[in-house]
Amino acid sequence: MPQKACRVELLASTPDATSLIYAAFRQCYHAGFVGDMWPRLLAGEIAADKQAAFITKVMESGHASPIEHVSFTFAVEGVSRALTHQLVRHRIASYSQQSQRYVDGSDFDYILPPAIARIPEAKERFESFIAEIGNAYRDLKNILEANGRGEKAKEDARFVLPQAAESKIVFTMNCRSLINFFEHRCCTRAQWEIRGMANQMLDICREVLPVVFKTAGARCERLSYCPEGEKFTCGRYPLP
């Protein structure tokens, strides 16, 4: 049962994303039909920098709904069930997660929190308990199989698996949902694991679609002040 680290891969994103967002924004303010403009956009008749400048100007006004037409699909491994429980709370998204009902957890991988890893005594206790859980899972699975549960033994044995158990997940978010996700999960107050994943995702999004994500991230970085209030501020930025 080895320790795992987070890995983020971009599976797909909406093609011609900048032009699509530009077309959606223009339809809001344009008397004509952007369906007639679309071939010109694809042909490059409207320069990419002109499209980007228009998108930036409108987004700065607070108008963001047209960016919902573009989405990103990520595959992630090496994350804990604790992380995915937080992730799925971002409800405007689609998720496909590795199932503990069907995947045998006898030799499950796990995530080791850095704060525990730094303390030899804590690390030893954590890893010994993970091994105990693995043994309990295997024992329960074997007992259940011997008593007629068959393939369904896994779905009952999984009840002993910890939040540290490694999971894999595919999810899709549109750009507006991603910006909201980054505002909350790139914040230093987010838990270390999901913050690390969010920062990997943000790096990818900035590379693929900088016009939308160049200023994305924790809210304080965009605002230049901390909106969390005196009780929750990390102190990195001043309060308003």
Side-chain angles (χ1 to χ4, degrees):
M1 294 187 291
Q3 179 185 345
K4 296 280 286 188
C6 178
R7 176 187 172 195
V8 178
E9 294 287 341
L10 178 65
L11 297 187
S13 62
T14 304
D16 302 308
T18 300
S19 293
L20 179 57
I21 292 172
Y22 177 82
F25 271 125
R26 282 297 303 273
Q27 189 63 90
C28 296
Y29 305 105
H30 182 50
F33 177 46
V34 296
D36 297 329
M37 181 193 300
W38 186 243
R40 295 173 53 215
L41 288 171
L42 295 183
E45 293 182 22
I46 301 175
D49 58 348
K50 181 178 179 180
Q51 295 181 45
F54 181 81
I55 291 169
T56 298
K57 180 180 179 180
V58 180
M59 286 187 65
E60 286 175 350
S61 75
H63 185 188
S65 59
I67 68 174
E68 295 175 14
H69 295 294
V70 169
S71 65
F72 286 69
T73 299
F74 296 94
V76 177
E77 69 169 355
V79 294
S80 70
R81 281 271 167 166
L83 182 149
T84 60
H85 290 333
Q86 297 175 66
L87 175 62
V88 299
R89 290 188 173 93
H90 294 268
R91 292 187 292 275
I92 305 177
S94 298
Y95 300 99
S96 301
Q97 185 170 6
Q98 185 180 65
S99 173
Q100 291 179 337
R101 290 186 66 196
Y102 301 110
V103 176
D104 194 324
S106 297
D107 296 302
F108 68 90
D109 298 330
Y110 63 90
I111 310 305
L112 178 63
I116 293 176
R118 285 193 293 267
I119 305 170
E121 180 183 4
K123 182 174 183 288
E124 180 181 1
R125 184 66 188 96
F126 182 93
E127 292 182 335
S128 68
F129 186 62
I130 290 292
E132 292 172 24
I133 293 173
N135 290 332
Y137 178 96
R138 286 187 292 272
D139 290 344
L140 287 168
K141 179 174 169 289
N142 291 337
I143 292 168
L144 289 165
E145 287 174 343
N147 283 269
R149 286 293 283 165
E151 286 296 317
K152 291 188 176 181
K154 293 191 289 290
E155 72 179 23
D156 294 326
R158 67 176 172 151
F159 276 73
V160 300
L161 292 175
Q163 292 210 72
E166 188 261 352
S167 190
K168 299 173 177 65
I169 190 167
V170 171
F171 56 95
T172 301
M173 292 184 180
N174 69 50
C175 289
R176 195 176 190 184
S177 293
L178 280 165
I179 288 175
N180 177 265
F181 175 80
F182 295 140
E183 285 182 343
H184 289 85
R185 302 303 183 174
C186 292
C187 175
T188 57
R189 292 189 61 246
Q191 191 171 19
W192 61 273
E193 186 184 15
I194 199 167
R195 185 170 70 249
M197 184 189 76
N199 285 330
Q200 288 190 54
M201 292 166 55
L202 179 56
D203 287 343
I204 292 170
C205 289
R206 281 176 173 166
E207 181 177 353
V208 174
L209 193 57
V211 67
V212 169
F213 292 104
K214 62 185 175 183
T215 60
R219 286 182 294 173
C220 60
E221 295 180 2
R222 175 173 53 84
L223 299 172
S224 296
Y225 67 85
C226 176
E228 296 287 335
E230 185 175 353
K231 181 177 179 180
F232 297 115
T233 182
C234 70
R236 183 181 176 191
Y237 283 89
L239 295 172

